Amino acid sequence: MSNILFIASALLQDDDVIGAIFGGIFATVYCICGGIFFLLVVIGLWKIFTKADQPGWAAIIPIYNIYIYTQIIGRPWWWLLLLFIPIVNIVISIIMAIDLGASFGKDTAYSIILLWLFNLIGYLLLGFGDAEYIGPAAAQKS
């Protein structure tokens, strides 16, 4: 992602008018695609939150949506703090994806591939699919 922004900024800094126009178009398309991606993730999370009897609007609010996510999967609230630690956040996000999948009756492979690696697709499938919330997975393991 930073490479794309670097290319766009380099093109925008060019003194050539054609390069500046191309850079502006490139940056605009990039921002539109990022906005569409964000919107689709929020829609998927909104449906997941409502299936789990949580407020759907919580998907829009940063940090608070992770707090609600931890409540859905049955993890303590301080797990969201672990997501701010480099390297640790990768492991924690994988565990949280596995717990979210288990909370909706999905297996580990589904969780890792669709809820962690391709989360946009996974959130939409989980939210709009026939999966039902069966309760916090982490609380059931204890």
Side-chain angles (χ1 to χ4, degrees):
M1 182 165 139
S2 61
N3 292 337
I4 294 173
L5 294 177
F6 174 74
I7 292 169
S9 67
L11 291 172
L12 287 171
Q13 291 178 3
D14 193 7
D15 288 336
D16 185 20
V17 174
I18 301 296
I21 291 171
F22 178 72
I25 292 170
F26 185 78
T28 302
V29 169
Y30 182 77
C31 288
I32 290 171
C33 290
I36 291 170
F37 182 84
F38 171 77
L39 186 65
L40 290 173
V41 167
V42 166
I43 290 169
L45 276 176
W46 191 302
K47 289 293 289 179
I48 290 171
F49 286 3
T50 54
K51 277 187 174 184
D53 294 327
Q54 296 291 334
W57 54 264
I60 300 172
I61 302 170
I63 309 298
Y64 183 63
N65 61 5
I66 301 170
Y67 171 75
I68 296 297
Y69 193 104
T70 59
Q71 300 305 305
I72 291 171
I73 64 175
R75 295 290 180 180
W77 68 268
W78 52 265
W79 270 51
L80 72 91
L81 298 176
L82 296 175
L83 293 173
F84 292 105
I85 303 171
I87 311 280
V88 174
N89 60 0
I90 297 170
V91 176
I92 294 300
S93 66
I94 292 171
I95 293 170
M96 289 175 71
I98 292 169
D99 286 345
L100 181 65
S103 296
F104 281 90
K106 302 297 182 182
D107 62 348
T108 304
Y110 178 95
S111 300
I112 291 175
I113 294 170
L114 287 176
L115 295 177
W116 185 72
L117 192 58
F118 300 108
N119 56 8
L120 169 65
I121 298 166
Y123 290 162
L124 290 172
L125 287 175
L126 201 61
F128 289 99
D130 59 353
E132 292 185 24
Y133 182 66
I134 56 177
Q140 295 170 3
K141 292 177 187 176
S142 300

